[in-house]
Amino acid sequence: MKLYETFELEFTGRKLTENWARVDVTAVFTNGDTQVTVSGFYAGDGIYKVRFLPEKTGIYTWKVSGCVEGEGSELCEPVVPGSAGAGTDAGQQADAGTERGQQADAGDGTEEHGRGTGAAASGKTAQTAPAVGRAAVRGQTASFGRTGRGVVRAVGTHFEYEDGTVYKPFGTTIYAMMHQDEELIETTFQTLSSAPFNKVRYCVFPKHYDYNSNEPPYYPFEKDAEGKWDVNRPCVAFWDHFENGIRTLQGMGIETDLILFHPYDRWGFSELETDECLVYLDYLLRRLAAFPSVWWSLANEYDLCRKRTMEDWYLFEEFIAEHDPYRHLMGNHNCIAYYDHSRPLITHCCMQTAWMEKAADWMARYRKPLIYDECCYEGDLPQNWGNLSGFEMVNRFWQANTVGAYCTHGEVFLSGDEILWWAKGGVLKGESPARIGFLRQIMEEIPGPLSPWTEEYLEPEERKWREQGEKMFGHLKKSLSEAELDALTRKDMDFKGHLGEQVFLVYLGRRCNALLPLRLPKDHCYRIDVIDVWNMTRETAATGVSGAVNVKLPGREGMAVMAVEEK
Amino acid sequence: MKLYETFELEFTGRKLTENWARVDVTAVFTNGDTQVTVSGFYAGDGIYKVRFLPEKTGIYTWKVSGCVEGEGSELCEPVVPGSAGAGTDAGQQADAGTERGQQADAGDGTEEHGRGTGAAASGKTAQTAPAVGRAAVRGQTASFGRTGRGVVRAVGTHFEYEDGTVYKPFGTTIYAMMHQDEELIETTFQTLSSAPFNKVRYCVFPKHYDYNSNEPPYYPFEKDAEGKWDVNRPCVAFWDHFENGIRTLQGMGIETDLILFHPYDRWGFSELETDECLVYLDYLLRRLAAFPSVWWSLANEYDLCRKRTMEDWYLFEEFIAEHDPYRHLMGNHNCIAYYDHSRPLITHCCMQTAWMEKAADWMARYRKPLIYDECCYEGDLPQNWGNLSGFEMVNRFWQANTVGAYCTHGEVFLSGDEILWWAKGGVLKGESPARIGFLRQIMEEIPGPLSPWTEEYLEPEERKWREQGEKMFGHLKKSLSEAELDALTRKDMDFKGHLGEQVFLVYLGRRCNALLPLRLPKDHCYRIDVIDVWNMTRETAATGVSGAVNVKLPGREGMAVMAVEEK
């Protein structure tokens, strides 16, 4: 068992032919005063699995209980757990240290895959193999890819892995990634392995839409006798295949922002009844919740899902919260009407909009991280959501990131092969990914999350002028409507962020300043970097400066200025 | 006397040393049942002038009456006018045709400058020379520059000269143009003579602001004994010089959008009392109203004029309307709070904003022409109103013009000479003017004003889908706030205009379509032009097409597609 790594127990038992979505298998994992109960799932062919994600160091003991329905629908008696059992204590007694991010040698032998040791249930039917076990979990670093830092959490308006490392999402969108043939999926993974993205947004259900018309190789459910999808019979081949995608991405350090529902459908998955949705979610959570890299995106364009009521979404929120012991991130993505991101179970603002100037307001309002998960895509489509220039896609990434919000990429180029990245994956053709990589490198160098920089370190004279202006003309803004005020803001505002007094960043976007007046703290020394976000250059314009600094710029679009404290 | 050309009568009389702003000289010009009363002005050195702008063909008779205040403050008796008098009937009896734009030989000798013929006043003091006269006015075309088409009028949401020719403004801004030295003014005129602009926005009063700090050569008033500006003693040298500017621009076909008040002042002109303002306006109107090319812009940033109340602006509107017999265009320019463009005397919407997407809404709301008279300037300043790229300036021009609104240029480059075009004139350094010229050429080829194109000629199947979508999801928009709805509009909208079924124009702005589906009427044939607004190319992509047309595009920013009916 490794900290922040999926731990799996496998049992053999009775082969099921009906209703295997919600098998009665439960495991309780105990570590000191922490107790986590997880549900197992039927993995097909008489295999039952229990997955668990250890989130703290120490000694875990577990017990597995329950059974599948017997022939006579009788239930097993749960096994009374021992406090230490048949599990192998594969590691040394772990340090009790609970400090997050603590490093320890991960090379110690650990039980990565627990196989039921045959402690038979005392129940009447013995299809499942209840087990008790014990394992030591030591803090560790990820020696490969994603595993090793734990689930990503919302902390204030930014994200951190469970181990405390700041996570800055640089996502991309490949809605039907897992519904393509193996060769294309392999190409996509190959592309992602050298792309700048650390999150992929994609759907569980196949997608039917423009440029998405192929039949998927698998469907998430089998059909009943009348040819209707039977949510009680999840298609094991689908889920095996699907979770391999998550596993592969996780190995590359890429989070899976999993879209649980969406409206673009010709198969009927968007028309499930509410109780069917819960059965689907239940199986999904049993299988996937123990992957550290998954996020729950309740929907893509929840508001276009005609079959769903608001009560459904609220119910799904609660159901997931109840059935996900690890509290993965949860958001809901809109088309027209923003979801209510203030709801307590919603961890972050997942937004479709190109209203980049609004980020600071929304972050102040929701006090949650904000991801522009859809702000149109780089490409050349006739549809207006799909014809941003590479520059404009990059521009939006910088606008979001500068103030401490985040942005998600997508790419839609009409081309001979009819494979649009945003739909199916494949290879990237656009000009933005390289620049997004350049941005990511800069953002990851900054030793913490940025926040909107609203308080300038003005000279007393400048402050006086500013205040006088506000006093004389501030009332004029009160006469404006919300949209008029917003138009004024868009015309005048800068994108400015900071990390305490360590880093100040101004992104000028389409502005072509030859000069930028920066007003920095007087009691620290700064290095000033001039960054060309498109040409990916970064030059030091000054060192050892503080207070009022006027930075010379080349007078073209796409420039940023960063002041970094010198120590 | 020429149609649409300033006619001037000049008299000699007593030299005045006090209070010459409102001399008691009035002229009545009669042509059939049209009677126009105008006030004369003191032109200094004992010269009195009366100016008149004939706006219809036929025989004009005039009488001039009144006098200046005598030594004993006694007033002259007005002369009783004859129905035909001492004026020379220099032309033939004019055609009675009142058709606007009617052409006739302008080469006939006409009395261009009426000098008082000495018909002495019967009053007690004879400082003024009341006169009666008669002249024939024939319709004519302008053989040079601007004179000859009459005052520009607002007609619906567009502009026409009095003679019915459509006028599409392509303005620029040179706030303190007339407050520079002669050499610089000459350079500015030289630049304008080959620039694409047919309107210049500039101030009567000198301007004190960033990059505007030089002392002007003249001031509009003389000072009183206490060193205070005396509005009753207009500085004749100022006004002679100032009106020469209007005359020169007019000769080049350029309208003068005259800014009557503004807040950027260190001399005290923004602090005049309300009644002083009226004296100033009175003299200005006596001198300038007969120039066909002037427009009244009540202010630049009226809302920042601290001394002025809303009642002042309303009073100025009324005063101008009463004292301007030609009803020149009148607007009022904001900084933050838009002026109420629905006021009856306001002829058009003069706006400072970069909210280009709002044009169609505002035009529908105000049913008046809309000029984005300040949407930021091309340049490289640190101030955010002054650092648009050339492309973005051009982009805004196309966005406005495509839907039948208008846009105004300005240029602010930091450079060695410290002469910023927007402040002082000089030479143009930016990249936008050439492209604005290219746009103007296209706009002037279109045989009428454009309007927003909102009704597409959809195929029945497309219409069905559109309507279904609206039915299913239209309600979602109702849940949005004004600003949220606006953000959605900005993300999705196209800039589209049309002239009846003759011309359809789609401007794609920053969108990079490789394909544009156009839905044209089926019962006309069209030529399709693909326009690159930056590279200034225009290629015919198809001829003889109608109905549904898919236009191939190069997939880069700055493209427009125009369909022109073939006959």
Side-chain angles (χ1 to χ4, degrees):
Chain A
M1 199 183 268
K2 280 186 186 170
L3 186 63
Y4 308 142
E5 189 168 303
T6 311
F7 174 75
E8 187 176 282
L9 295 167
E10 186 180 312
F11 310 92
T12 51
R14 180 197 161 98
K15 292 189 186 180
L16 301 180
T17 52
E18 310 279 341
N19 298 349
W20 55 80
R22 292 184 286 185
V23 294
D24 180 25
V25 177
T26 305
V28 180
F29 288 83
T30 306
N31 179 350
D33 53 6
T34 303
Q35 203 172 63
V36 181
T37 303
V38 300
S39 296
F41 66 95
Y42 184 66
D45 203 28
I47 306 290
Y48 297 75
K49 291 183 180 177
V50 168
R51 287 178 180 160
F52 173 64
L53 184 67
E55 297 196 292
K56 57 183 272 193
T57 54
I59 306 293
Y60 274 100
T61 60
W62 64 81
K63 61 171 185 180
V64 181
S65 56
C67 65
V68 294
E69 289 173 3
E71 279 154 329
S73 290
E74 292 164 292
L75 296 181
C76 313
E77 293 295 318
V79 168
V80 179
S83 66
T88 305
D89 181 349
Q92 298 156 309
Q93 184 73 16
D95 299 333
T98 54
E99 195 188 321
R100 297 192 303 175
Q102 181 194 355
Q103 298 196 1
D105 182 3
D108 290 348
T110 52
E111 186 185 21
E112 293 193 4
H113 193 87
R115 190 163 281 277
T117 52
S122 60
K124 290 168 190 163
T125 57
Q127 289 93 339
T128 61
V132 290
R134 185 165 183 274
V137 174
R138 304 185 62 189
Q140 58 173 334
T141 40
S143 54
F144 61 98
R146 167 63 177 76
T147 310
R149 291 191 167 144
V151 169
V152 173
R153 308 288 177 201
V155 179
T157 58
H158 69 279
F159 296 106
E160 290 179 10
Y161 292 106
E162 181 70 22
D163 76 354
T165 311
V166 169
Y167 169 77
K168 300 183 179 178
F170 289 84
T172 188
T173 309
I174 319 175
Y175 284 121
M177 176 173 75
M178 292 308 292
H179 301 286
Q180 310 307 317
D181 62 44
E182 284 307 312
E183 194 186 334
L184 182 52
I185 292 176
E186 192 43 52
T187 305
T188 304
F189 288 148
Q190 197 60 40
T191 303
L192 285 169
S193 71
S194 58
F197 305 113
N198 61 10
K199 171 166 98 72
V200 179
R201 242 181 104 64
Y202 59 101
C203 301
V204 177
F205 294 121
K207 183 170 176 180
H208 173 70
Y209 193 65
D210 300 342
Y211 318 108
N212 284 262
S213 57
N214 53 320
E215 207 59 32
Y218 304 99
Y219 303 94
F221 315 117
E222 296 185 0
K223 286 185 172 172
D224 64 16
E226 283 124 44
K228 199 179 152 288
W229 297 117
D230 185 350
V231 293
N232 288 302
R233 302 198 305 169
C235 169
V236 171
F238 171 93
W239 290 98
D240 285 346
H241 171 258
F242 192 80
E243 74 184 26
N244 275 337
I246 298 174
R247 208 173 274 119
T248 303
L249 294 176
Q250 194 170 274
M252 296 191 284
I254 298 174
E255 302 288 299
T256 284
D257 192 5
L258 201 56
I259 297 166
L260 304 176
F261 297 94
H262 72 262
Y264 302 107
D265 176 43
R266 68 169 179 265
W267 302 274
F269 300 119
S270 64
E271 300 289 329
L272 296 177
E273 298 301 329
T274 305
D275 58 350
E276 292 177 311
C277 292
L278 296 184
V279 176
Y280 150 68
L281 288 176
D282 195 348
Y283 187 75
L284 179 143
L285 289 160
R286 288 164 187 246
R287 284 197 76 128
L288 305 185
F291 284 97
S293 64
V294 294
W295 304 20
W296 314 126
S297 187
L298 295 183
N300 204 65
E301 302 186 339
Y302 84 92
D303 47 342
L304 301 197
C305 295
R306 294 161 59 199
K307 177 82 175 183
R308 305 270 72 84
T309 63
M310 291 313 294
E311 286 63 39
D312 281 343
W313 301 115
Y314 303 156
L315 179 64
F316 298 164
E317 280 182 19
E318 279 166 36
F319 186 87
I320 291 169
E322 248 170 60
H323 291 75
D324 167 13
Y326 317 106
R327 301 159 289 118
H328 289 281
L329 292 170
M330 181 162 24
N332 204 358
H333 168 278
N334 64 294
C335 176
I336 293 169
Y338 304 111
Y339 197 63
D340 178 3
H341 304 293
S342 71
R343 296 182 58 79
L345 294 174
I346 295 299
T347 55
H348 63 288
C349 308
C350 167
M351 294 185 128
Q352 175 175 182
T353 179
W355 196 0
M356 310 312 290
E357 298 85 356
K358 193 67 178 172
D361 278 2
W362 278 328
M363 287 157 72
R365 173 168 158 198
Y366 294 112
R367 286 173 286 183
K368 295 178 183 178
L370 166 60
I371 312 181
Y372 286 90
D373 263 315
E374 187 175 347
C375 65
C376 304
Y377 308 116
E378 181 181 7
D380 60 7
L381 300 191
Q383 289 90 340
N384 279 353
W385 45 260
N387 46 35
L388 296 186
S389 65
F391 185 95
E392 185 55 32
M393 181 94 255
V394 172
N395 190 37
R396 294 182 186 185
F397 262 82
W398 273 87
Q399 289 174 330
N401 275 270
T402 297
V403 299
Y406 306 100
C407 197
T408 300
H409 163 271
E411 181 187 291
V412 282
F413 282 101
L414 286 174
S415 60
D417 63 8
E418 289 181 14
I419 298 172
L420 281 66
W421 173 264
W422 139 99
K424 304 179 180 179
V427 296
L428 286 161
K429 297 156 190 165
E431 298 181 286
S432 70
R435 281 81 184 182
I436 292 168
F438 177 70
L439 167 64
R440 181 176 168 187
Q441 182 191 323
I442 291 169
M443 287 294 139
E444 292 188 345
E445 245 175 53
I446 297 174
L450 294 173
S451 306
W453 178 22
T454 51
E455 277 288 309
E456 274 183 288
Y457 299 82
L458 295 178
E459 302 287 297
E461 188 67 12
E462 292 172 323
R463 186 170 303 279
K464 206 187 85 192
W465 278 106
R466 173 95 39 116
E467 284 167 2
Q468 272 189 7
E470 199 47 43
K471 206 166 151 187
M472 281 195 286
F473 304 119
H475 68 282
L476 292 171
K477 292 188 185 172
K478 298 204 181 84
S479 72
L480 298 182
S481 77
E482 183 200 8
E484 287 169 346
L485 189 60
D486 184 62
L488 189 69
T489 303
R490 288 198 308 278
K491 173 169 160 282
D492 290 340
M493 81 171 275
D494 286 318
F495 289 86
K496 295 161 70 175
H498 75 120
L499 171 63
E501 298 199 329
Q502 290 179 73
V503 177
F504 296 92
L505 178 63
V506 179
Y507 174 57
L508 293 167
R510 301 248 176 217
R511 302 193 183 283
C512 298
N513 301 43
L515 198 71
L516 177 73
L518 265 188
R519 298 297 176 259
L520 301 169
K522 289 194 166 158
D523 46 358
H524 304 276
C525 272
Y526 294 91
R527 184 189 78 233
I528 308 289
D529 285 355
V530 171
I531 299 165
D532 181 324
V533 310
W534 185 250
N535 295 308
M536 297 183 280
T537 61
R538 182 171 166 182
E539 281 164 23
T540 297
T543 56
V545 298
S546 62
V549 186
N550 292 319
V551 185
K552 279 195 185 163
L553 293 169
R556 60 171 182 266
E557 295 188 347
M559 301 304 297
V561 175
M562 184 161 71
V564 181
E565 192 190 0
E566 295 175 311
K567 301 215 171 156
Chain B
M1 201 182 267
K2 279 187 186 169
L3 186 64
Y4 308 141
E5 188 167 305
T6 312
F7 174 75
E8 187 176 284
L9 296 167
E10 185 180 313
F11 309 94
T12 51
R14 179 195 162 98
K15 292 188 187 181
L16 300 180
T17 54
E18 309 279 341
N19 297 349
W20 57 79
R22 293 183 287 185
V23 294
D24 181 24
V25 177
T26 305
V28 180
F29 288 83
T30 306
N31 179 351
D33 53 6
T34 304
Q35 204 172 62
V36 181
T37 303
V38 300
S39 296
F41 66 95
Y42 185 65
D45 202 27
I47 306 291
Y48 296 76
K49 291 185 180 176
V50 168
R51 288 179 180 159
F52 173 64
L53 183 67
E55 297 197 291
K56 56 183 273 193
T57 55
I59 306 295
Y60 274 99
T61 60
W62 65 81
K63 61 169 184 181
V64 181
S65 56
C67 65
V68 295
E69 289 174 4
E71 280 154 330
S73 288
E74 294 165 291
L75 296 182
C76 312
E77 294 293 319
V79 169
V80 179
S83 66
T88 306
D89 181 349
Q92 296 156 308
Q93 185 73 17
D95 298 333
T98 54
E99 194 188 322
R100 297 192 302 174
Q102 178 193 356
Q103 298 197 2
D105 182 3
D108 290 348
T110 53
E111 185 184 23
E112 294 194 4
H113 192 85
R115 190 164 283 276
T117 52
S122 60
K124 288 170 190 163
T125 57
Q127 290 92 339
T128 61
V132 290
R134 185 166 183 274
V137 175
R138 305 187 62 191
Q140 58 173 335
T141 39
S143 53
F144 61 98
R146 168 63 176 73
T147 310
R149 291 190 167 146
V151 168
V152 173
R153 308 288 178 201
V155 179
T157 58
H158 70 279
F159 295 106
E160 290 180 10
Y161 292 106
E162 182 68 24
D163 77 354
T165 311
V166 170
Y167 168 77
K168 300 182 180 180
F170 289 84
T172 188
T173 308
I174 318 176
Y175 285 121
M177 176 174 74
M178 292 308 294
H179 301 286
Q180 310 308 315
D181 63 42
E182 284 306 312
E183 194 186 334
L184 183 52
I185 293 176
E186 192 42 53
T187 304
T188 304
F189 288 148
Q190 197 60 41
T191 303
L192 286 170
S193 71
S194 58
F197 305 114
N198 61 9
K199 171 167 97 73
V200 179
R201 242 180 103 66
Y202 60 100
C203 301
V204 177
F205 294 121
K207 182 171 178 180
H208 173 70
Y209 193 66
D210 299 343
Y211 319 107
N212 285 260
S213 56
N214 52 322
E215 207 58 33
Y218 306 99
Y219 303 94
F221 315 117
E222 297 186 359
K223 286 185 172 172
D224 65 16
E226 284 123 45
K228 198 178 152 292
W229 298 116
D230 185 350
V231 294
N232 287 302
R233 302 197 306 169
C235 169
V236 171
F238 171 93
W239 290 99
D240 285 346
H241 172 258
F242 192 80
E243 73 186 26
N244 275 337
I246 299 174
R247 209 173 273 120
T248 304
L249 294 177
Q250 195 170 274
M252 296 192 284
I254 297 174
E255 303 288 299
T256 283
D257 192 4
L258 201 55
I259 297 166
L260 304 176
F261 298 93
H262 72 261
Y264 301 108
D265 176 43
R266 68 168 179 265
W267 302 273
F269 301 119
S270 64
E271 300 289 327
L272 297 178
E273 298 301 328
T274 305
D275 57 351
E276 293 177 310
C277 293
L278 297 184
V279 177
Y280 150 68
L281 288 175
D282 196 347
Y283 187 75
L284 179 143
L285 288 160
R286 288 163 187 247
R287 283 196 77 127
L288 305 185
F291 284 97
S293 64
V294 294
W295 305 19
W296 314 125
S297 187
L298 294 183
N300 204 66
E301 302 186 338
Y302 84 93
D303 47 342
L304 301 196
C305 295
R306 294 162 57 199
K307 178 80 175 184
R308 303 270 73 84
T309 62
M310 290 311 296
E311 286 63 40
D312 282 343
W313 302 115
Y314 303 157
L315 179 64
F316 298 165
E317 280 182 20
E318 278 167 35
F319 186 87
I320 291 169
E322 248 171 58
H323 292 76
D324 167 13
Y326 317 107
R327 299 157 291 118
H328 290 282
L329 292 169
M330 181 165 17
N332 204 357
H333 169 277
N334 64 293
C335 177
I336 293 168
Y338 303 110
Y339 197 62
D340 178 3
H341 305 293
S342 71
R343 296 182 58 80
L345 294 174
I346 295 298
T347 54
H348 62 287
C349 308
C350 167
M351 294 185 129
Q352 175 173 183
T353 180
W355 197 0
M356 311 311 290
E357 298 84 355
K358 192 68 177 172
D361 278 3
W362 278 327
M363 289 158 71
R365 175 167 155 196
Y366 294 113
R367 285 172 287 184
K368 295 179 183 178
L370 167 61
I371 311 182
Y372 286 90
D373 262 315
E374 187 175 347
C375 66
C376 304
Y377 308 116
E378 180 181 7
D380 61 7
L381 298 191
Q383 289 90 342
N384 279 352
W385 45 259
N387 47 35
L388 296 186
S389 64
F391 185 94
E392 186 54 31
M393 182 93 254
V394 172
N395 190 37
R396 294 182 186 184
F397 263 81
W398 273 88
Q399 288 174 331
N401 275 270
T402 297
V403 299
Y406 305 101
C407 196
T408 300
H409 163 270
E411 183 187 289
V412 282
F413 283 101
L414 288 174
S415 60
D417 62 9
E418 290 181 13
I419 298 173
L420 280 67
W421 172 263
W422 139 99
K424 304 180 180 179
V427 296
L428 286 162
K429 296 156 189 162
E431 298 181 286
S432 69
R435 280 80 185 184
I436 293 168
F438 177 69
L439 167 64
R440 180 175 169 188
Q441 182 191 322
I442 291 168
M443 286 295 139
E444 292 188 345
E445 244 176 55
I446 297 174
L450 293 174
S451 306
W453 178 22
T454 50
E455 277 287 310
E456 274 183 288
Y457 299 82
L458 295 177
E459 301 287 298
E461 188 65 12
E462 291 171 325
R463 186 169 303 280
K464 205 187 88 192
W465 278 106
R466 173 93 40 115
E467 283 167 3
Q468 272 189 7
E470 200 47 44
K471 205 166 153 187
M472 282 195 287
F473 304 120
H475 69 281
L476 293 170
K477 293 189 184 172
K478 298 205 181 86
S479 72
L480 299 181
S481 77
E482 185 200 6
E484 287 170 346
L485 190 59
D486 185 62
L488 189 68
T489 302
R490 288 199 308 278
K491 174 169 160 283
D492 289 342
M493 81 171 276
D494 286 317
F495 289 85
K496 294 161 70 174
H498 74 120
L499 171 62
E501 298 199 328
Q502 290 178 73
V503 177
F504 296 91
L505 178 63
V506 179
Y507 174 57
L508 294 167
R510 300 248 176 216
R511 303 193 184 281
C512 299
N513 301 42
L515 197 72
L516 177 73
L518 265 188
R519 297 296 176 259
L520 301 169
K522 289 194 167 159
D523 46 358
H524 303 277
C525 271
Y526 294 91
R527 185 189 77 233
I528 308 291
D529 284 355
V530 171
I531 298 165
D532 181 325
V533 310
W534 185 250
N535 295 308
M536 298 183 279
T537 61
R538 181 170 166 183
E539 281 164 24
T540 296
T543 56
V545 299
S546 62
V549 186
N550 292 318
V551 185
K552 279 195 184 162
L553 292 169
R556 61 172 180 264
E557 295 187 348
M559 302 303 298
V561 174
M562 184 161 71
V564 181
E565 193 191 359
E566 295 176 311
K567 300 213 170 158

